[in-house]
Amino acid sequence: MLKLRLSRGGTKKRPVYKVVVADSRFARDGRFIEKVGFFNPLLPKEKKERIGLEAERIKYWLGQGAQPTTRVARILGENELMPMPANGNNPQKAIPKKDRKKEGSEDVKKEEAPKAEAPKTEAKKEEAPKAEAPKAEAKKEEKK
């Protein structure tokens, strides 16, 4: 299967990528069929030298059935060579840890508010199983 993907070049901590057409079975930086562009992530997004693409060759390879990787699809979408791909799943791990705690504490406060309105008897019932759970865990550890 043909892929339009990035092939890494440059030095340590200074990457420069080639946009290449390659067989999906070949190594990332290995054998490729044709170089169709480049991508320099270190340059600011406004600079023209950040991305260089051979539009006609890319359209040809897309017509031949080559599938772009997600990163290349975004690059091609930004340069209007193909429709922009839909945004993928953005999990909590993408958010810095310190920001996650802030959002989590707000959610906890919202959840606690209805519990505070509930009668105190229900709160005691909820606490009881929590107290029993550590004892059960301790017994399991002793058995092992």
Side-chain angles (χ1 to χ4, degrees):
M1 174 181 223
L2 292 177
K3 289 271 188 187
L4 277 167
R5 65 180 178 198
L6 296 175
S7 176
R8 193 180 194 277
T11 61
K12 182 178 174 183
K13 297 189 179 183
R14 310 269 314 157
V16 177
Y17 296 94
K18 292 183 283 190
V19 180
V20 297
V21 179
D23 191 312
S24 61
R25 296 170 291 188
F26 296 152
R28 178 193 71 180
D29 300 334
R31 200 164 107 197
F32 61 88
I33 299 167
E34 183 180 353
K35 178 186 171 195
V36 292
F38 65 88
F39 171 58
N40 187 349
L42 300 177
L43 294 176
K45 291 184 178 180
E46 306 85 47
K47 290 212 172 190
K48 292 180 182 177
E49 299 86 34
R50 180 181 166 93
I51 299 172
L53 300 171
E54 295 177 24
E56 291 182 18
R57 294 305 295 163
I58 290 172
K59 288 178 183 175
Y60 167 79
W61 284 111
L62 289 172
Q64 296 297 312
Q67 294 295 316
T69 59
T70 54
R71 177 60 57 194
V72 172
R74 287 189 59 81
I75 291 170
L76 297 178
E78 289 168 3
N79 288 283
E80 299 173 1
L81 292 173
M82 64 180 286
M84 191 71 166
N87 290 339
N89 182 19
N90 189 7
Q92 282 289 327
K93 285 189 174 183
I95 302 169
K97 205 167 193 178
K98 58 182 178 183
D99 295 340
R100 267 189 263 164
K101 290 180 181 176
K102 290 177 186 174
E103 291 176 10
S105 63
E106 291 172 5
D107 294 338
V108 172
K109 289 178 186 175
K110 290 177 185 175
E111 292 175 7
E112 288 177 3
K115 290 180 183 177
E117 294 172 5
K120 293 180 181 179
T121 55
E122 289 181 18
K124 290 179 183 176
K125 290 179 183 177
E126 290 177 9
E127 292 174 10
K130 291 179 184 176
E132 293 173 5
K135 292 178 185 176
E137 290 176 20
K139 289 179 183 177
K140 289 179 184 176
E141 291 175 9
E142 290 175 11
K143 290 178 182 178
K144 291 179 181 178

